[in-house]
Amino acid sequence: MKLSKRLQTIADFVKKGAVVADIGTDHAHIPIYLIKNNIISKAYACDINKGPLEKAKENINYYGIKNIELRLSNGLEKLKTDEADTFIIAGMGGELIIDILDRGQGFFDKKNTFILSPHTKIEEVRNYLLRKGLKILKEDMCIDEGKFYTVMEAVYMGKTFSYTKGELLFGKYLIDNKNPVLFEYLKKEKQKYLSIISTDGINDTRRRELKDRLDIIEETINEMQ
């Protein structure tokens, strides 16, 4: 099976031999892909809604996959802490990802890996991870159907980390490694903010906030050149 660019970017983070729990699995495309390609041999496909799990079951049966266990679960709540070592939480807003992690802090263990792809509030997700003692090992970005997506891998280290404002907004790993998709994103963001700032009717407070963000964008672009 062929994954979308977004799902493939997520799947590429999974290490061979991992035991995966896909939270918010939807149609179980990632677990099916990982098992079909002999990257993993066991997965849990979890979703809060019955509809996606029924579709996941159809897909699992269609591809003849045996080792994917379906769980009707609100986040991590129906998993035991020793059942998986890699947790994919993707395809949802950053606030929900933070909530799932916050309610599942029993899974914060040095043997576990978290693969996260928030669609919103990425800065807040990074900040949460660093405050809670998780280190962001790497990140990647892709463009899928015209939209930018970020994927990050984090592990629990038991100590807090700190980022600059630019690193929280755009990802220290992506900046340090001069990620070309991030660079393209930053150029688009620069033009967007320049356009908004030049618009009439913006009050001074808002204009200063926009200018502060633009300054960080431009500083980051300069770092990456």
Side-chain angles (χ1 to χ4, degrees):
M1 68 184 297
K2 184 173 175 60
L3 296 177
S4 68
K5 183 66 175 174
R6 178 179 72 87
L7 294 183
Q8 186 65 61
T9 302
I10 295 167
D12 287 346
F13 273 72
V14 177
K15 295 177 178 64
K16 189 171 180 63
V19 180
V20 169
D22 185 23
I23 309 302
T25 194
D26 199 18
H27 295 172
H29 289 150
I30 291 177
I32 291 169
Y33 169 87
L34 292 170
I35 289 180
K36 275 187 66 65
N37 287 276
N38 299 311
I39 297 165
I40 66 171
S41 58
K42 173 71 175 178
Y44 298 87
C46 306
D47 207 284
I48 193 172
N49 295 310
K50 290 182 178 179
L53 286 181
E54 289 170 358
K55 184 62 179 176
K57 186 176 181 179
E58 290 177 15
N59 289 337
I60 290 165
N61 290 338
Y62 176 81
Y63 287 103
I65 304 296
K66 301 297 184 186
N67 295 332
I68 299 177
E69 188 172 323
L70 299 174
R71 294 272 174 92
L72 185 65
S73 179
N74 183 0
L76 298 159
E77 68 176 14
K78 297 300 183 183
L79 285 166
K80 296 176 182 176
T81 55
D82 61 351
E83 285 187 304
D85 54 40
T86 301
F87 302 86
I88 298 172
I89 311 176
M92 61 191 79
E95 286 181 342
L96 182 52
I97 287 178
I98 290 170
D99 179 62
I100 289 170
L101 290 171
D102 212 42
R103 290 185 289 108
Q105 290 187 50
F107 292 85
F108 290 2
D109 187 292
K110 292 180 181 179
K111 72 178 188 301
N112 291 336
T113 298
F114 296 89
I115 299 170
L116 312 173
S117 184
H119 286 185
T120 60
K121 299 189 182 297
I122 302 172
E123 174 191 5
E124 285 90 336
V125 173
R126 290 190 183 105
N127 188 46
Y128 175 85
L129 295 171
L130 301 179
R131 286 190 298 103
K132 289 293 185 177
L134 290 102
K135 183 178 183 179
I136 300 170
L137 295 184
K138 67 176 182 176
E139 297 194 35
D140 199 3
M141 284 185 76
C142 70
I143 304 171
D144 192 342
E145 295 186 353
K147 294 182 179 179
F148 290 88
Y149 295 98
T150 299
V151 185
M152 61 188 74
E153 175 187 344
V155 296
Y156 182 71
M157 301 293 284
K159 61 178 182 178
T160 58
F161 298 86
S162 61
Y163 275 13
T164 66
K165 182 65 174 176
E167 289 168 347
L168 279 175
L169 282 169
F170 306 120
K172 177 176 170 56
Y173 184 92
L174 297 172
I175 296 167
D176 289 348
N177 288 276
K178 302 185 187 302
N179 183 279
V181 181
L182 173 62
F183 193 72
E184 184 175 341
Y185 172 78
L186 289 170
K187 289 191 294 182
K188 286 181 178 291
E189 286 291 283
K190 178 180 177 179
Q191 293 307 312
K192 182 179 81 174
Y193 277 87
L194 284 170
S195 176
I196 296 171
I197 288 169
S198 66
T199 304
D200 293 333
I202 298 176
N203 65 49
D204 289 343
T205 300
R206 180 60 177 154
R207 194 180 300 277
R208 280 195 299 272
E209 291 172 352
L210 293 168
K211 183 64 170 63
D212 288 344
R213 177 62 66 88
L214 179 60
D215 287 345
I216 295 171
I217 292 168
E218 290 179 331
E219 287 170 11
T220 307
I221 288 173
N222 289 336
E223 278 185 61
M224 296 180 68
Q225 286 178 328

